[in-house]
Amino acid sequence: NIHGMTGCLNFYKVKFDNNKLDIQNGRCEDSLNIVDSVGEIKEIRVSSAFSDALDIDFSNIFIEEVLIQSAGNDCVDFSGGNYEINKFNLKNCGDKGISIGEQSVTKIDTILVEKAKIGVASKDSSKSYINKATIEKVDTCLSSYNKKQEFYGSNLIVKNIDCKDYLMDQKD
């Protein structure tokens, strides 16, 4: 829109207090876009997103549970903030299960990514910590790299991972 918001549902400078959000059939660049916000979110559900399902930028957010079913691009995209997520359940992501970038600090307790090109990508000076990851039916399980020249590489630390049915594991 004229304010640079890219979501079907946008939250700008909002303080969340154990909210539940449910978005279906979003036909925008981001089905749910949260910018420059703080607080706690109990649950986010997104289904049938045209492009990115969930995009959170420049925020300080704790989320109890994120459930995403079918996104044309990334299921989740974090940029420039501090994020803590208890549980992810992400299925049928067109590109990345989770994309973490631009100096984000992200802590994830449990994640399931099923069917994506990349399970988790951490880039551009981000610090990403995952306690337990189950990733399946992907080309690449984990990726850590530098994309934009104004940033450095990234840290991606995963304590426990079960990655199966990835590109190198698949047979013709």
Side-chain angles (χ1 to χ4, degrees), residues 132-155:
K132 182 179 179 186
T134 302
I135 302 172
E136 54 189 63
K137 299 177 185 170
V138 297
D139 293 345
T140 304
C141 297
L142 304 171
S143 185
S144 180
Y145 56 95
N146 173 235
K147 182 178 177 182
K148 298 177 181 176
Q149 68 181 7
E150 62 268 29
F151 297 103
Y152 297 103
S154 170
N155 290 321

Side-chain angles (χ1 to χ4, degrees), residues 60-96:
N60 188 353
I61 302 281
F62 170 82
I63 306 170
E64 182 64 34
E65 186 171 21
V66 176
L67 302 113
I68 296 176
Q69 177 67 46
S70 190
N73 195 39
D74 298 339
C75 276
V76 178
D77 186 353
F78 292 125
S79 296
N82 294 293
Y83 309 103
E84 188 173 342
I85 300 84
N86 190 43
K87 182 178 179 182
F88 273 116
N89 187 332
L90 312 173
K91 296 182 180 177
N92 299 313
C93 309
D95 191 13
K96 298 171 201 75

Side-chain angles (χ1 to χ4, degrees), residues 5 7 13 32 42 48 60 77 89 108 131-132 134 142 152 165:
M5 303 302 284
K13 293 192 180 222
L32 175 59
K42 179 89 174 153
S48 300
N60 188 353
D77 186 353
N89 187 332
I108 300 167
N131 184 44
K132 182 179 179 186
T134 302
L142 304 171
Y152 297 103
D165 294 327

Side-chain angles (χ1 to χ4, degrees), residues 4-20:
M5 303 302 284
T6 58
C8 292
L9 179 59
N10 297 291
F11 291 96
Y12 177 67
K13 293 192 180 222
V14 171
K15 182 176 181 186
F16 291 96
D17 185 16
N18 273 331
N19 305 85
K20 289 185 178 183

Side-chain angles (χ1 to χ4, degrees), residues 3-53:
H3 304 290
M5 303 302 284
T6 58
C8 292
L9 179 59
N10 297 291
F11 291 96
Y12 177 67
K13 293 192 180 222
V14 171
K15 182 176 181 186
F16 291 96
D17 185 16
N18 273 331
N19 305 85
K20 289 185 178 183
L21 304 167
D22 189 345
I23 296 89
Q24 300 173 19
N25 302 309
R27 298 288 169 235
C28 307
E29 183 178 328
D30 307 312
S31 286
L32 175 59
N33 190 17
I34 299 171
V35 180
D36 198 15
S37 297
V38 299
E40 297 181 11
I41 300 173
K42 179 89 174 153
E43 181 180 271
I44 295 176
R45 289 180 177 265
V46 181
S47 60
S48 300
F50 167 73
S51 191
D52 289 352

